[in-house]
C-alpha cells in the first residue's frame, strides 16, 4: 500500500500557519479579531472552547462562532462550510461526512451524511464485459460520484442542535469565497501538485489554475461560483442545493459526462440520525460513528481486545505493545471485510462485533510471541494517487462536543467541478466493493455487505470519536487516511489513556498501521525502532513499509478537556491550527 498524503514536514507547517495567520490578520475580512491566534507550535490552551481543524481559516471561523455565543454544533457547521472554501481537497459541498455529537445533557447522537449510490447504480457498474474492474472508472469519472450529502447533514445538524441562523454560520464561508483568500504555501503547493489532473476538466482548471498556469503563494484566490452556490444554500436551505439552479447545474454535468445522478436522486437525498457506536475502555466511554462507517465498530472492537492487556506496562513503542496492537488491528479489519456495510441494507452484527465477550473470543488465538498470518491473496497494490479527508474537533464551554469528518474520498475527489456551481464532486463510489475480493483504492476487500445497490451508502472508515468520562466529553479526535483512519484515533486514545501522554504528544507520536490485507505493517519514521522491528520480524511480522515523511498516517486534529481548560492540537503532520476562545468572551 502506498499512501500519498500531501503532508509536508512539521516545521514547514508551522511556518505555513504563520504565513496564513499573517494573511488572515492583514485581510479586511477578519481584521485581527482573534481571541487566541493560532500558536506557533501545534498546541493551544484556553478556557472557553476550542476548535481544531486542518485549516487555520476554518478553525478561526469556528472559534469566532463560539465567541459569538454559538455552541459546538453551530461552530462545526460553520467549519464544515468554511472547509469547502479553504480546504477544497477534502472540505466540500459535493461530498459527504459524519458528525458525532455529545450534548451537554449527556445525550449522544450521530449524523450520517454519507453519499448514496444513485438510483441507476448497479452492482457491476465498474466492471467490463469480462467482469474485470475498469481502472479509474470508480475514481476518475462521472460515475465515481455518489449523491452528495454534506449540505443536508450540516443543515440538519444546525436545525436540530444549533442555536444560530443559517445565514450566521454560512456567511463567513461566503465571504472567504467571494472576497478571496491569500494562498499560502500549503494550498498553492497542493494546487501545483495536482495541476495535471485539474486541466483535464475546463471547469476545474478555471478554479484551481490561473488560466492553465499554477497559482503561486500569496496570490488572491477567489471562488465566485462557489460563493453563489453557498448564497443559494443560505437563502433556500437544502432546496438551495438539492433543487433549483445548483441541482440543474449538477444534473447537466452528469448528463454531459455520462454520470448517473438525477434530479430525483438529489431530491431524495437525506441525512440520517443514528445512534453512535458506544463502547468503554478502562472506565472511559467511547462514542463513535456507526455504519455506514466501519470506524466506530472497529475502534471499539480493537479497544475491547486490548483492554485485558497491560498496555501501559508494556511501554509505548515496545515490541509487545506493537505486536498486540497489530494483532488486534488484523482481526478487526478481517471482520470489516466480511461483516460491514450500510446497515440500512445489510444486517451488520453491530452488537456482536462490539461485545466484549466476542472480542475476547476473537483474540483467543493471539500468541504473545508469534504473528498470525493474513491470507495472502485478494488485496492489490495501491496506485500512488494522493488522498484527502479532513477531521475537525470542537468543544464548547457548555459541555457540547462535535467530532466531524468529511471527505470527497481522494484528494479533490473525482477532480470534476460542476461548471457554474464551483464545487468538486466526490469519487466515493470507490468505497463500495466493485468486485468481490478485489481491493479498492485503499487495498480494502469485501463482499456482499458492501456491494453496490441503489440508495445504499458505501462503507467508510471515517471515525469521528468522542471519549467521555462521567457523561462529559473529555477527548475529541478523528482523522483522514482512508483505510488507515481507524488505527489513528485508536493510537491517540491509547497514548492518552494508557501511556498518560499529553494530547500534543499523543497526536504527534509516530504511528503504525495494519489492516489484515495486505499483510504488512505501515510504519511512520520513529514508530518502530530498528531493534524492535528485528524482534517483531522474528515473531513473524515479515513485511514492514517505512512511510516517507510526506506520506504519513492521518491528521488527527484533536481537542481535550484538561481540568477547567481546553487543549487543542493541530496534528504536526498537517498544516491545520487549533484556535480557542476565552470564557470571558
Ligand atoms: O470514507 C472513507 O473511508 C474514505 N472515503 C476516506 C478517504 C480518506 O480518508 C482520504 N484521505 N486521506
Amino acid at each position: 500500500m502506498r499512501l500519498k498524503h500531501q503532508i509536508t514536514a512539521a516545521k514547514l507547517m508551522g511556518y505555513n500557519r504563520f504565513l496564513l495567520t499573517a494573511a488572515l490578520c492583514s485581510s479586511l475580512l477578519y481584521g485581527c479579531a482573534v481571541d487566541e491566534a493560532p500558536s506557533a507550535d501545534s498546541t493551544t490552551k484556553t478556557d472557553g472552547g476550542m476548535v481544531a481543524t486542518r485549516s487555520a481559516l476554518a478553525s478561526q471561523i469556528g472559534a469566532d462562532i463560539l465567541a459569538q455565543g454559538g455552541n459546538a454544533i453551530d461552530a462545526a457547521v460553520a467549519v464544515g462550510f468554511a472547509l469547502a472554501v479553504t480546504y477544497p481537497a477534502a472540505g466540500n459541498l459535493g461530498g459527504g461526512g459524519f458528525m458525532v455529537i455529545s450534548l451537554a445533557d449527556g445525550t449522544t447522537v450521530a449524523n450520517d451524511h454519507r453519499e448514496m449510490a444513485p438510483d441507476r447504480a448497479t452492482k457491476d457498474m465498474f466492471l467490463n464485459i469480462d467482469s474485470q474492474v475498469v481502472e479509474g472508472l470508480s475514481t476518475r469519472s462521472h460515475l465515481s460520484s455518489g449523491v452528495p450529502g454534506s449540505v443536508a447533514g450540516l443543515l440538519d445538524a444546525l436545525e436540530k442542535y444549533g442555536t444560530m441562523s443559517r445565514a450566521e454560520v454560512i456567511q463567513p464561508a461566503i465571504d472567504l469565497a467571494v472576497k478571496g483568500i491569500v494562498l499560502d504555501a500549503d494550498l498553492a503547493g497542493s494546487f501545483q501538485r495536482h495541476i495535471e489532473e485539474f486541466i483535464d476538466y475546463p471547469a476545474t482548471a478555471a478554479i484551481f489554475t490561473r488560466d492553465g498556469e499554477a497559482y503561486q503563494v500569496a496570490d488572491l484566490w477567489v471562488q465566485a461560483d462557489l460563493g453563489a452556490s453557498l448564497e443559494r444554500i443560505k437563502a433556500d436551505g437544502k432546496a438551495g442545493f438539492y433543487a433549483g439552479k445548483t441541482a440543474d447545474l449538477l444534473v447537466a454535468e452528469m448528463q454531459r459526462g455520462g454520470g448517473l445522478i438525477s434530479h430525483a436522486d438529489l431530491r431524495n437525498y437525506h441525512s440520517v440520525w443514528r445512534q453512535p457506536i458506544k463502547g468503554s475502555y478502562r472506565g472511559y466511554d467511547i462514542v463513535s460513528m456507526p455504519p455506514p462507517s466501519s470506524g466506530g465498530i472497529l475502534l471499539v472492537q480493537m479497544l475491547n481486545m486490548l483492554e485485558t492487556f497491560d498496555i501501559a506496562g508494556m511501554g509505548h513503542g515496545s515490541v509487545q505493545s506493537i505486536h498486540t496492537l497489530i494483532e488486534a488491528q488484523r482481526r478487526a479489519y478481517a471482520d470489516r471485510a466480511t461483516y460491514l456495510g450500510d446497515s440500512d441494507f445489510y444486517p451488520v452484527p453491530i452488537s456482536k462485533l462490539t461485545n466484549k465477550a466476542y472480542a475476547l473470543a476473537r483474540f483467543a488465538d493471539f500468541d504473545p510471541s508469534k504473528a498470525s498470518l493474513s491470507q495472502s491473496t485478494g488485496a492489490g497494490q495501491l496506485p500512488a494517487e494522493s488522498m484527502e479527508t479532513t477531521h475537525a474537533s470542537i468543544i464548547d464551554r457548555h459541555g457540547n462536543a462535535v467530532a466531524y469528518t468529511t471527505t470527497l474520498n481522494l484528494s479533490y475527489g473525482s477532480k470534476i467541478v460542476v461548471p457554474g456551481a464551483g464545487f468538486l464532486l466526490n469519487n466515493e463510489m470507490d468505497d463500495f466493493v466493485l468486485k468481490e475480493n478485489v481491493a479498492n483504492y485503499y487495498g480494502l476487500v469485501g463482499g456482499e455487505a458492501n456491494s453496490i445497490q441503489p440508495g445504499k451508502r458505501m462503507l467508510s472508515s471515517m471515525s469521528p470519536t468522542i471519549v467521555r468520562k462521567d457523561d462529559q466529553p473529555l477527548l475529541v479526535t478523528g482523522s483522514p487516511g482512508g483505510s488507515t483512519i481507524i488505527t489513528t484515533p485508536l493510537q491517540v486514545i491509547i497514548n492518552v489513556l494508557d501511556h498518560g501522554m499529553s494530547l500534543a504528544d499523543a497526536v504527534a507520536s509516530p504511528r503504525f498501521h495494519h489492516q489484515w490485507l495486505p499483510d504488512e505493517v505501515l510504519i511512520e519514521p520513529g514508530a518502530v525502532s530498528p531493534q524492535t522491528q528485528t524482534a517483531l520480524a522474528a515473531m513473524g511480522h515479515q513485511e514492514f513499509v517505512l512511510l516517507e515523511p510526506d506520506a504519513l498516517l492521518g491528521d488527527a486534529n484533536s481537542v481535550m478537556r484538561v481540568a477547567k481548560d481546553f487543549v487543542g492540537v493541530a496534528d504536526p503532520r498537517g498544516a491545520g491550527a487549533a484556535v480557542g476562545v476565552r470564557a470571558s468572551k
Side-chain angles (χ1 to χ4, degrees):
M1 182 149 71
R2 305 284 168 264
L3 305 176
K4 262 307 248 166
H5 288 241
Q6 298 154 4
I7 292 173
T8 49
K11 273 194 181 147
L12 179 62
M13 281 157 195
Y15 178 65
N16 286 346
R17 274 208 300 280
F18 169 77
L19 272 185
L20 191 58
T21 308
L24 180 73
C25 290
S26 64
S27 95
L28 289 175
L29 295 180
Y30 279 88
C32 240
V34 177
D35 295 289
E36 295 274 321
S39 59
D41 64 23
S42 58
T43 309
T44 302
K45 186 175 166 187
T46 187
D47 61 353
M50 183 67 68
V51 181
T53 83
R54 175 61 173 74
S55 155
L57 288 163
S59 294
Q60 184 60 54
I61 285 171
D64 286 347
I65 293 282
L66 293 182
Q68 289 160 25
N71 67 14
I73 294 88
D74 295 314
V77 174
V79 161
F81 284 112
L83 286 168
V85 180
T86 64
Y87 191 56
N92 64 80
L93 300 184
F98 298 132
M99 191 180 282
V100 173
I101 299 172
S102 174
L103 294 168
D105 68 2
T107 317
T108 58
V109 68
N111 185 272
D112 163 13
H113 46 276
R114 183 70 161 165
E115 299 89 333
M116 294 166 80
D119 198 42
R120 285 185 291 147
T122 59
K123 187 175 175 184
D124 296 338
M125 63 187 275
F126 297 110
L127 306 186
N128 63 19
I129 47 167
D130 300 322
S131 295
Q132 301 302 313
V133 174
V134 181
E135 209 191 316
L137 203 58
S138 64
T139 52
R140 295 290 298 279
S141 80
H142 291 72
L143 291 176
S144 70
S145 301
V147 184
S150 293
V151 174
L154 291 173
L155 294 183
D156 288 346
L158 182 70
E159 190 180 321
K160 193 150 184 163
Y161 297 111
T163 65
M164 293 175 85
S165 70
R166 208 158 62 216
E168 285 171 305
V169 297
I170 298 181
Q171 192 61 46
I174 294 176
D175 288 343
L176 290 179
V178 172
K179 296 178 188 170
I181 57 179
V182 177
L183 292 180
D184 66 342
D186 178 51
L187 260 188
S190 175
F191 294 172
Q192 287 160 11
R193 282 192 299 279
H194 288 87
I195 193 160
E196 293 302 322
E197 298 151 287
F198 294 151
I199 55 181
D200 287 347
Y201 303 102
T204 311
I207 290 173
F208 296 106
T209 72
R210 193 200 269 285
D211 300 325
E213 300 296 318
Y215 269 111
Q216 303 299 323
V217 173
D219 281 348
L220 183 70
W221 183 52
V222 175
Q223 299 176 82
D225 286 345
L226 180 60
S229 289
L230 286 163
E231 281 284 2
R232 288 190 287 275
I233 298 167
K234 184 180 91 175
D236 299 327
K238 283 186 268 184
F241 183 85
Y242 293 97
K245 182 170 179 182
T246 303
D248 290 346
L249 291 168
L250 197 158
V251 171
E253 176 60 12
M254 281 287 134
Q255 286 167 355
R256 197 196 61 73
L260 300 182
I261 300 174
S262 67
H263 277 293
D265 287 323
L266 292 171
R267 247 192 336 269
N268 293 335
Y269 185 85
H270 54 279
S271 86
V272 184
W273 290 103
R274 299 190 189 275
Q275 281 306 308
I277 295 295
K278 288 193 181 161
S280 67
Y281 186 65
R282 304 194 199 285
Y284 293 87
D285 297 321
I286 309 295
V287 182
S288 191
M289 194 65 209
S293 181
S294 57
I297 290 178
L298 264 67
L299 182 62
V300 166
Q301 195 182 353
M302 291 187 286
L303 289 170
N304 284 345
M305 290 179 198
L306 297 171
E307 197 176 36
T308 57
F309 293 84
D310 180 11
I311 300 292
M314 291 175 186
H316 181 262
S318 68
V319 174
Q320 212 48 50
S321 78
I322 294 175
H323 172 60
T324 311
L325 261 75
I326 289 173
E327 293 304 324
Q329 294 173 10
R330 186 196 311 276
R331 285 161 179 76
Y333 274 83
D335 280 4
R336 180 191 196 280
T338 301
Y339 296 121
L340 293 200
D342 182 350
S343 51
D344 290 345
F345 283 74
Y346 186 86
V348 178
I350 297 178
S351 56
K352 179 174 172 187
L353 290 171
T354 54
N355 182 289
K356 285 191 192 290
Y358 172 74
L360 285 184
R362 186 79 176 87
F363 217 51
D365 64 348
F366 169 72
D367 182 338
S369 63
K370 201 160 157 270
S372 314
L373 287 179
S374 298
Q375 69 189 66
S376 54
T377 53
Q381 287 295 314
L382 299 180
E385 187 178 347
S386 63
M387 45 197 241
E388 216 71 55
T389 291
T390 195
H391 175 79
S393 297
I394 297 142
I395 193 161
D396 69 23
R397 64 175 177 274
H398 313 293
N400 305 297
V402 176
Y404 173 56
T405 314
T406 189
T407 192
L408 291 161
N409 194 22
L410 303 185
S411 211
Y412 302 96
S414 65
K415 281 78 178 176
I416 299 169
V417 162
V418 176
F423 61 85
L424 285 156
L425 290 166
N426 68 82
N427 57 357
E428 220 78 63
M429 292 295 282
D430 188 66
D431 277 350
F432 276 121
V433 171
L434 312 180
K435 183 180 175 181
E436 200 116 325
N437 293 324
V438 171
N440 77 349
Y441 178 81
Y442 301 105
L444 293 167
V445 294
E448 190 53 36
N450 188 29
S451 65
I452 303 174
Q453 280 176 260
K456 191 172 175 181
R457 298 168 200 248
M458 54 297 282
L459 184 59
S460 173
S461 301
M462 293 191 286
S463 315
T465 299
I466 302 175
V467 178
R468 308 200 317 167
K469 186 74 182 159
D470 304 325
D471 285 343
Q472 289 307 305
L474 174 71
L475 165 64
V476 186
T477 191
S479 179
S483 56
T484 74
I485 288 175
I486 314 167
T487 56
T488 287
L490 174 75
Q491 287 167 86
V492 171
I493 290 169
I494 283 175
N495 286 345
V496 170
L497 299 187
D498 284 314
H499 299 300
M501 290 186 194
S502 69
L503 184 62
D505 287 347
V507 168
S509 181
R511 299 189 266 264
F512 57 90
H513 170 81
H514 192 287
Q515 61 179 48
W516 176 55
L517 293 175
D519 191 353
E520 61 190 16
V521 191
L522 305 183
I523 50 175
E524 291 187 330
V528 181
S529 73
Q531 299 89 319
T532 302
Q533 189 171 326
T534 306
L536 288 166
M539 296 164 86
H541 298 285
Q542 297 294 351
E543 201 55 49
F544 290 88
V545 178
L546 180 62
L547 299 169
E548 298 292 325
D550 66 348
L552 302 177
L553 293 170
D555 182 24
N557 303 307
S558 306
V559 301
M560 188 169 160
R561 192 161 44 81
V562 179
K564 287 198 161 56
D565 284 325
F566 301 108
V567 171
V569 173
D571 194 322
R573 295 163 183 80
V579 182
V581 287
R582 295 197 189 94
S584 51
K585 282 271 170 179

